[in-house]
Amino acid sequence: MSDLTPLLALGELFPRGVVPYLLGGLLIGLGTAIIYLATGIIAGASTFLESALSYVSDVSRFNRHTYVRSRGWRVVFTAGIVSGAAVYAIASQDGIWTTDVQWWRLLGGGFLVGVGTRLGKGCTSGHGVCGVGSLSKTSLVNVATFLAVAIGTAQLVQAMGVVP
């Protein structure tokens, strides 16, 4: 029975099986590699979203030459992230809204993530996928910080008895 314990633990971590997560990870890795090889740009979602804001904002940080020059394909990439998730949700018949978390908590969490990406000078995709893959010391520290704060927050929320 002790030989089965790790497999049982994986069953709890991946209740839908490992395949969707494995496939998703492979597609993310392939996409970031293609973008980097084709353009030399690290595929961080927060930077891509910032470049999309150059269409609707006069703020100088969103209108840097690099962003404006490449914003067309960056907007397509950003739209692809959202539409890809929606297509998967519809195709898997889970529906688009798959959480019991209230909208205001999602909005608050999204705001805090946005602030965190500015403080950390990037998001989990830029630092976690591309930065760690290229052994960037800054990205390694940022990802360790992201994980520590996320684990600590989850533990604190659970200890407070907060549920969706």
Side-chain angles (χ1 to χ4, degrees):
M1 180 69 177
S2 64
D3 292 339
L4 293 176
T5 304
L7 294 176
L8 295 174
L10 278 178
E12 290 177 17
L13 290 173
F14 303 103
R16 294 175 30 197
V18 176
V19 173
Y21 306 100
L22 181 62
L23 183 59
L26 290 171
L27 290 173
I28 289 169
L30 180 63
T32 57
I34 289 171
I35 287 171
Y36 185 74
L37 292 172
T39 66
I41 294 173
I42 293 174
S46 63
T47 305
F48 282 29
L49 181 58
E50 272 189 22
S51 66
L53 291 174
S54 69
Y55 281 113
V56 295
S57 175
D58 291 333
V59 175
S60 61
R61 83 168 281 105
F62 302 135
N63 287 286
R64 295 183 205 158
H65 178 67
T66 313
Y67 289 173
V68 173
R69 189 182 73 222
S70 61
R71 69 184 178 181
W73 70 264
R74 289 177 186 237
V75 168
V76 171
F77 178 85
T78 304
I81 291 173
V82 175
S83 61
V87 166
Y88 178 80
I90 291 167
S92 67
Q93 298 178 346
D94 287 341
I96 291 179
W97 196 260
T98 60
T99 183
D100 293 331
V101 179
Q102 295 94 345
W103 69 267
W104 59 271
R105 287 185 179 177
L106 293 173
L107 184 65
F111 176 78
L112 291 174
V113 166
V115 170
T117 60
R118 292 299 352 125
L119 291 173
K121 296 187 176 26
C123 60
T124 52
S125 60
H127 286 297
V129 176
C130 301
V132 169
S134 62
L135 298 177
S136 162
K137 290 177 185 169
T138 301
S139 292
L140 290 167
V141 169
N142 279 352
V143 169
T145 304
F146 296 159
L147 288 173
V149 170
I151 291 167
T153 301
Q155 295 301 311
L156 178 65
V157 167
Q158 183 181 23
M160 292 172 51
V162 177
V163 295

